[in-house]
Amino acid sequence: MEKVVSLSKRRGFIFPSSEIYGGIGGFWDYGPLGVELKRNVREAWWQDMVRGHDDTTPPPGMPSPYAMVGLETSIVMHPQVWKASGHYDLFHDMLVDCRQCKARFRADQLATSQCPEKPSKRPGEHTTCDLTEPREFNLMFKTYVGALVDPESEAYLRPETAQGMFTNFKNVLATARVKLPFGIAQIGKSFRNEITPRYFTYRSREFEQMEIEFFCRPVESRLWYEYWRDRRFRWYVSLGLSGERLRLREHGREELSHYSCGTADIEYAFPFLPAGEFGELEGIAHRGDFDLRSHMEGKLVRRGEELVVETGPDGKPRYPGSGKDLSYFDEETKERLIPHVIEPSAGVDRSMLAFLCEAYAEDAIPDENGIPQPRVVLKLHPRLAPIKAAVFPLIRKEGMPEMALDLYRELRKNWNVDYDDRGSIGRRYRRQDESGTPFCFTVDGQTIADGTVTVRDRDTTVQERIPMTQVAPFLQERLVTG
């Protein structure tokens, strides 16, 4: 993991935020290559889940055709949204403080946390440790709307993107002409005031989510849950995450949220975790009708097998909903119902980190003299690679730079392509290997003679010659198929 972090800094993938001032825990900046990789993760998800979706013909395994539309909602919402949804009351971690060293820990992470006192031990293991009893700590960031700082102007940065899709359920129905089943997709920033952010970008206070809220008939919801669970797992496999480090884990009953009818996690064996342990990449939850009912009626709590509105001492809803009708009239069955929701919720930052960890490799390849030299390479899927190709002139004379620049400018119209004429050809290859660039095209003396260029494959280092006129079609095909 230290090597991945070092490469991320050295090649401009990820920097600590506000680094010149010592940084700020749980916040990260994405550098020139990082912003491209992150954008490519988002684009792959949006293309595969939304823009490229065929809503007319279901492929094998899909219960029926469905529509998929996009949404972009605000980061600050009406504070009642978070009260009706349960976040105001229930969105917390258990916090433990040490009165001696003033450090703060999550109660469920004491066994894996480090006390700042030396020699390094676990919290509570020093004779001077004085830990408080665990207490609740709400994870939402508080802010204020307007000129006055008082309880009436309190608001929160959203801890998830989902609620904006639920509150816009009727707006989408009215404007997008969709009918059950259909999905609403959104990519956006969320904020959680983590007690102990750690593991590089895995647990951050500011992060980006890729979420779908899929609305369906209650009688079909189990089929759709299984469909989305399996489809989302295959998406990660298609982009290069390996089987032995990737798994799909169904939650046991004791793990389920009070509203959940079923939840599965897609997990990855990150190198910062002990051997055999996995970290969550994405959760797929069968949420039933909990969310739409909450925003209709008010905050729901479980009583036995039922979800009912929580009431205060006066018998009225403790945290009222909007009072708006969020039910759906089914034209096929001529009945009114509250749709069930399946929610695949993925993290852009966690996905990017998993792709980086999976792609990192070390090997040895011969140099110009045939002597094996160690190499660091990022074997990113071509769809995700920040730089799709690099163009080199073998030497900076004899017309080679001019021809290489013409090729570079042609390719640059469609893809992020690099031009490099500095240093030996071997050094240029190494720079691109560390950046994850899948293909390098070199203009040399033979190019001038017959119009062909050398193309080098990043993973195999195999080189072949192709006509310069075929470079763009060559790149187009391989960037799609991988």
Side-chain angles (χ1 to χ4, degrees):
M1 192 63 212
E2 291 176 358
K3 293 179 179 179
V4 173
V5 173
S6 175
L7 176 67
S8 296
K9 176 72 181 294
R10 183 172 72 254
R11 283 299 173 202
F13 283 95
I14 302 169
F15 307 130
S17 179
S18 314
E19 186 177 17
I20 63 171
Y21 290 102
I24 177 171
F27 297 91
W28 299 91
D29 296 337
Y30 289 85
L33 291 185
V35 73
E36 292 292 334
L37 175 55
K38 193 174 185 183
R39 181 183 296 273
N40 291 342
V41 171
R42 290 193 299 253
E43 280 294 311
W45 186 89
W46 194 262
Q47 175 62 31
D48 295 345
M49 299 299 115
V50 187
R51 187 187 301 122
H53 170 64
D54 180 358
D55 60 3
T56 61
T57 308
M62 186 186 294
S64 68
Y66 65 87
M68 181 67 72
V69 298
L71 204 62
E72 184 172 320
T73 62
S74 63
I75 287 172
V76 176
M77 303 176 69
H78 194 290
Q80 197 65 26
V81 169
W82 309 113
K83 295 179 179 180
S85 69
H87 287 80
Y88 183 79
D89 272 1
L90 304 175
F91 197 63
H92 61 257
D93 281 336
M94 300 305 291
L95 169 71
V96 172
D97 284 317
C98 180
R99 299 184 183 93
Q100 173 64 26
C101 68
K102 310 304 180 186
R104 180 162 288 172
F105 312 97
R106 272 179 53 169
D108 62 342
Q109 294 177 352
L110 289 177
T112 58
S113 298
Q114 294 291 326
C115 176
E117 296 290 324
K118 301 298 182 184
S120 183
K121 293 185 178 181
R122 303 299 183 198
E125 292 182 351
H126 283 284
T127 56
T128 56
C129 286
D130 185 10
L131 301 181
T132 64
E133 290 296 315
R135 66 184 190 276
E136 293 182 358
F137 174 78
N138 194 286
L139 299 177
M140 289 195 294
F141 278 99
K142 184 183 291 187
T143 187
Y144 296 90
V145 176
L148 297 178
V149 178
D150 60 28
E152 294 299 315
S153 63
E154 285 182 358
Y156 302 90
L157 304 186
R158 66 182 181 196
E160 63 177 29
T161 58
Q163 299 306 318
M165 291 182 270
F166 297 130
T167 57
N168 276 288
F169 174 71
K170 282 290 187 179
N171 288 334
V172 172
L173 277 180
T175 58
R177 300 179 63 223
V178 292
K179 61 180 182 179
L180 291 184
F182 71 92
I184 302 176
Q186 179 171 204
I187 299 175
K189 287 288 186 76
S190 295
F191 303 83
R192 296 181 185 180
N193 196 11
E194 294 281 354
I195 298 168
T196 53
R198 57 180 182 171
Y199 298 148
F200 200 26
T201 58
Y202 181 79
R203 190 174 295 281
S204 303
R205 290 179 168 128
E206 176 185 343
F207 55 97
E208 200 162 4
Q209 290 181 288
M210 306 179 291
E211 287 196 311
I212 294 171
E213 303 304 333
F214 188 82
F215 301 91
C216 58
R217 298 177 180 87
V219 295
E220 300 172 344
S221 59
R222 186 68 197 182
L223 287 174
W224 282 111
Y225 166 70
E226 293 172 355
Y227 165 77
W228 281 108
R229 178 195 64 193
D230 298 342
R231 181 179 176 189
R232 290 301 303 143
F233 182 82
R234 293 194 302 270
W235 186 78
Y236 290 100
V237 174
S238 73
L239 290 174
L241 295 192
S242 65
E244 61 269 15
R245 285 188 288 271
L246 188 72
R247 75 178 185 184
L248 182 64
R249 185 181 67 85
E250 196 80 32
H251 282 208
R253 287 187 61 85
E254 70 283 356
E255 294 182 85
L256 296 178
S257 303
H258 66 286
Y259 55 78
S260 176
C261 304
T263 298
D265 283 345
I266 299 170
E267 299 176 330
Y268 182 74
F270 288 95
F272 52 73
L273 298 173
E277 291 191 11
F278 289 74
E280 181 187 347
L281 264 186
E282 175 168 346
I284 300 92
H286 184 328
R287 301 175 67 99
D289 61 5
F290 171 81
D291 300 285
L292 293 180
R293 278 189 59 200
S294 295
H295 290 299
M296 286 173 61
E297 306 167 17
K299 181 194 169 192
L300 300 177
V301 294
R302 182 165 290 283
R303 300 272 169 77
E305 296 299 313
E306 299 292 327
L307 286 169
V308 300
V309 176
E310 182 180 11
T311 56
D314 57 1
K316 295 180 180 179
R318 184 180 178 192
Y319 297 119
S322 67
K324 305 297 183 182
D325 181 10
L326 301 181
S327 63
Y328 174 85
F329 183 74
D330 194 333
E331 292 288 350
E332 293 184 17
T333 62
K334 304 302 181 185
E335 63 176 344
R336 186 165 291 278
L337 55 88
I338 299 176
H340 277 202
V341 174
I342 313 301
E343 180 191 75
S345 177
V348 182
D349 307 83
R350 286 189 180 185
S351 298
M352 175 176 164
L353 182 58
F355 290 128
L356 276 174
C357 291
E358 184 73 18
Y360 183 91
E362 296 176 353
D363 58 18
I365 59 174
D367 61 14
E368 292 88 342
N369 300 315
I371 301 173
Q373 298 293 333
R375 174 180 78 141
V376 172
V377 57
L378 280 182
K379 297 185 177 181
L380 291 164
H381 191 286
R383 291 183 69 190
L384 303 180
I387 301 171
K388 303 305 184 185
V391 179
F392 307 147
L394 183 62
I395 57 176
R396 288 191 284 182
K397 56 184 178 180
E398 299 179 10
M400 295 181 200
E402 290 78 7
M403 295 185 72
L405 281 169
D406 286 343
L407 178 59
Y408 161 77
R409 290 166 183 147
E410 178 191 352
L411 299 179
R412 189 76 179 178
K413 295 174 183 176
N414 297 303
W415 301 289
N416 188 26
V417 178
D418 196 18
Y419 176 85
D420 191 356
D421 61 4
R422 291 170 293 174
S424 69
I425 194 71
R427 288 184 178 274
R428 284 181 265 173
Y429 282 149
R430 297 299 190 278
R431 285 195 289 266
Q432 297 301 329
D433 289 343
E434 285 198 346
S435 301
T437 307
F439 305 104
C440 293
F441 300 95
T442 301
V443 173
D444 54 22
Q446 190 173 336
T447 308
I448 298 171
D450 62 13
T452 64
V453 297
T454 299
V455 54
R456 173 187 179 268
D457 184 275
R458 172 198 65 201
D459 298 341
T460 66
T461 71
V462 170
Q463 300 186 30
E464 61 177 306
R465 297 199 73 86
I466 63 173
M468 185 181 287
T469 56
Q470 291 302 306
V471 169
F474 172 94
L475 200 53
Q476 175 67 44
E477 178 184 354
R478 281 155 179 79
L479 292 179
V480 171
T481 59

